[in-house]
Amino acid sequence: MTVKRYDPVDVLVIGSGMGGAAATKILAEAGLRVVCLEQGRWSQEYGHPHNSPDWEWQRTHGRWHTAPNVRRLPEDYPVDTRDEEPLMWNGVGGSTTHYTATWPRYRPSDFVKGREHGFSPDWPLTYEDLEPYYEINDRDVGTSGYAGDPGRPPRKGFSTPPLSPNPYGKVVAKGLDKLGWHWWMMDMAVISQDHDGRKACNYCGNCQSGCNRGSLADVSVTHWPKAIRAGAELRTNARVEKIETDASGRATGAVYIDMRTGARYFQAADVVIVAANGIGTPRLLFLSENAQFPDGLANQSGLVGKNLMHHGLALVEMWVESITNTYQNVVSAAYIIEEFSETDVARGFINGVTLHVVRMNGAGYQAAGSHTGNVAPWGVGHHAWFKRHFAHGVCILVVGEDLPLEENRVTLSDTLKDSSGLPAPKVEYRLHPNDRKIVDFGIDRALDLSKSLGAFETKVNRFVNPEGKYAPGAWHLLGTCRMGDDPQTSVVNRWQQAWDVPNLYIMDGSPMVTSAAVNPTSTIGAITVRAASYLRDHFAQARTAKRTTKSGVGNR
Amino acid sequence: MTTALPEVAAIYTALVDALLPGDADFPPASAVGTQAWLLEKLREHRPSGDIEQVVITLGGESFLAGAAEARAAAVSRFEREQPELFGFVLRAVYFGYYQSPLVTQAIRALGHDYNDAPQPKGYVVEPFDPEANLPKHSKPFYIPTDKMTRVDMSAINMEA
């Protein structure tokens, strides 16, 4: 096999999503020579569906489906699992290409669950350590929201004012206030006013096929143009096959396949950053096994791929007499209910749950069952049903914290391969009994809201498959290369430097220790900005580091 | 396929109208071309025999001969006997129907501000209103890092 070699660079980044983009931008702006390898393409190459009449079909059955096993684009890799339907996007921007840009932060307690109950470890950093990096990352992505939430630590303002949740918001607020719960405007990475050369959101309602206006913070729009202007090189259609190491155990670079020609290349680098998401990153570390690392790269702890977390999920829809227009507006930008976020043992479980007031897409999707399988009847009763339900819906997304469990894991499939012949990841996932209690509790609270609003119909989606098993849309891919202070119980240190490979860093959702009860991308961005800033500031030592220590390359 | 092509087209036309017959506000599905969309999606997404399977399950040409009630009974039988295929057909019909400009026009005629496609227009929405869009009754709290203490787990069963 002939492998063409590129000249060495300072940093090789694998993956161009939130982590890869933020790391590349920071390091390139510091003058380092950075190459990023992305197996997919720019999404702009095949166009967003927002102007097409079949926009809903493209999102639910076509190339804009959130699941690679359904989408099956050449750059996708299959995921061998019956336990879930993982969301991911293999292209420039990673899964920020088609996420909801829901942007809440973790709470201080989310970092000290070891202290609180011991069923999850503490992070090796605190909320206070991370807070400045949340601010930097928020500024880079562009946010909207309403500062002053008394239910969370004080924070600086948002890039733009809150998106309007109305008329939906006004209807739901009355029901929430009747219950006396704490709720607030959802923090969003969608701009409500023109900002940083990007257009304000115009509330079109189709956030999950990307955003063809650039209002939603897809890092292919927010980060990559700046990173490339700073000198970074982004190679698309570049599928990494293996990270290579030398006799000293340091990473030397990566072999990748040009998806257009099938040719193989080797890109050498002094430092390698893996940012391929919580499934793709452990998969690549396993694919990179060699005689020195027979169980996969950076896996002397045996924890690579383990402790996979997704959140415990459910959806509850209700239909009310008032007009809500849930086909308009930003999919997630209404309210977050954090009344139940902290542990209260009187509920019979540890950890917490948040309820998100979200939207229901267009007329076709709503008639076909919306988020809960409430399919409109066919035949003579159809139109009356549609007139009664359309624009009258309310939807609550239940997001519960799931515990990190070693048996929830990513390994390599024995049977499935991608289009390059590389083994696919195999995913095993189930909820812990504690996680199930959280989801059930969240569903019950959503049903409380249904009563409070006087809903005339309510449906629940517990994400149970035809076999009767919980099988969620796994939207958040976390925990599979946990960070920590002990090389026996973690894969990377507090600066996301691999314990076993001192010039290998992991910057995506994999290092996250707990899942909290909120969407993770703002935290993935913040930990990446923190780790990449540290790497930038200590690059001379990082370039030649011979071992990984608890305190990092600059403190030995 | 044993059924002649003109009959297949007629059966699909009758099928989509049995599913979405139209009323005073909405056109019947065949009037907006849903049958062509359905056939296209069956061809794109399903095994090659499914187009004929639908025809056979509906009873072939006898489906065309029946009145509305008989057709509804045949569709019910299809739903019962081939639930997975029927589910796909119904989804395709609903998505195809509601993307038609004649149907989006009918939705607008009901008083809803509903676009043919999300862009380029988007929607003009009522502005954010701090009086209505912030809570009036709540006792929010969070636990600062230095206040976190061990919880009493004695009453919690972590095994079930």
Side-chain angles (χ1 to χ4, degrees), chain A residues 102-105 107 149 152 168 172-173 175-177 179-188 311-318 331-342 347 349 351-359 394-401 435-453 460-461 463 475-476 516-519:
Chain A
T102 312
W103 213 247
R105 296 178 178 181
R107 306 165 75 83
D149 181 354
R152 293 190 230 166
Y168 187 32
V172 179
L176 293 172
D177 275 342
L179 292 164
W181 294 345
H182 178 64
W183 53 277
W184 202 257
M185 292 294 298
M186 181 66 89
D187 298 353
M188 294 298 298
H311 293 119
L313 300 171
L315 283 152
V316 181
E317 290 182 312
M318 52 206 80
V331 166
S332 276
Y335 303 138
I336 182 168
I337 298 151
E338 293 195 284
E339 179 76 13
F340 315 106
S341 293
E342 301 286 358
R347 297 180 193 132
F349 54 81
N351 296 331
V353 62
T354 58
L355 307 180
H356 302 192
V357 181
V358 300
R359 293 183 171 78
V394 171
C395 183
I396 301 299
L397 169 64
V398 175
V399 180
E401 176 164 358
D435 307 337
R436 288 185 184 279
K437 288 181 200 168
I438 292 176
V439 174
D440 289 344
F441 177 88
I443 290 170
D444 288 344
R445 300 293 74 75
L447 295 175
D448 289 343
L449 178 62
S450 174
K451 285 181 195 153
S452 177
L453 289 170
V460 178
N461 176 2
F463 287 106
W475 304 327
H476 308 139
V518 292
N519 311 56

Side-chain angles (χ1 to χ4, degrees), chain A residues 341-543:
Chain A
S341 293
E342 301 286 358
T343 291
D344 178 352
V345 292
R347 297 180 193 132
F349 54 81
I350 53 172
N351 296 331
V353 62
T354 58
L355 307 180
H356 302 192
V357 181
V358 300
R359 293 183 171 78
M360 296 160 77
N361 302 309
Y365 185 78
Q366 293 192 28
S370 194
H371 300 309
T372 55
N374 191 19
V375 181
W378 57 268
V380 290
H382 177 87
H383 299 294
W385 185 98
F386 183 85
K387 291 170 200 172
R388 179 93 166 115
H389 289 75
F390 182 69
H392 289 271
V394 171
C395 183
I396 301 299
L397 169 64
V398 175
V399 180
E401 176 164 358
D402 52 345
L403 289 167
L405 305 175
E406 289 201 9
E407 56 267 37
N408 287 343
R409 60 183 184 157
V410 179
T411 53
L412 292 182
S413 173
D414 294 328
T415 54
L416 286 183
K417 294 184 189 304
D418 66 19
S419 59
S420 304
L422 303 175
K426 178 178 180 181
V427 174
E428 297 163 85
Y429 180 81
R430 67 173 178 82
L431 288 182
H432 184 278
N434 187 75
D435 307 337
R436 288 185 184 279
K437 288 181 200 168
I438 292 176
V439 174
D440 289 344
F441 177 88
I443 290 170
D444 288 344
R445 300 293 74 75
L447 295 175
D448 289 343
L449 178 62
S450 174
K451 285 181 195 153
S452 177
L453 289 170
F456 62 79
E457 189 173 353
T458 303
K459 295 283 182 186
V460 178
N461 176 2
R462 295 175 185 270
F463 287 106
V464 174
N465 68 13
E467 297 158 15
K469 189 170 174 297
Y470 175 74
W475 304 327
H476 308 139
L477 312 175
L478 312 172
T480 49
C481 297
R482 170 193 283 173
M483 70 166 88
D485 282 338
D486 181 351
Q488 301 302 312
T489 58
S490 57
V491 177
V492 295
N493 71 4
R494 61 179 58 195
W495 303 106
Q496 297 169 223
Q497 178 189 13
W499 288 110
D500 310 336
V501 184
N503 63 335
L504 178 74
Y505 291 75
I506 297 175
M507 299 192 190
D508 54 23
S510 310
M512 292 171 74
V513 179
T514 57
S515 69
V518 292
N519 311 56
T521 312
S522 68
T523 303
I524 293 171
I527 61 172
T528 297
V529 170
R530 178 177 177 274
S533 299
Y534 180 86
L535 179 59
R536 173 198 62 199
D537 297 343
H538 300 86
F539 196 77
Q541 297 100 313
R543 189 196 292 277

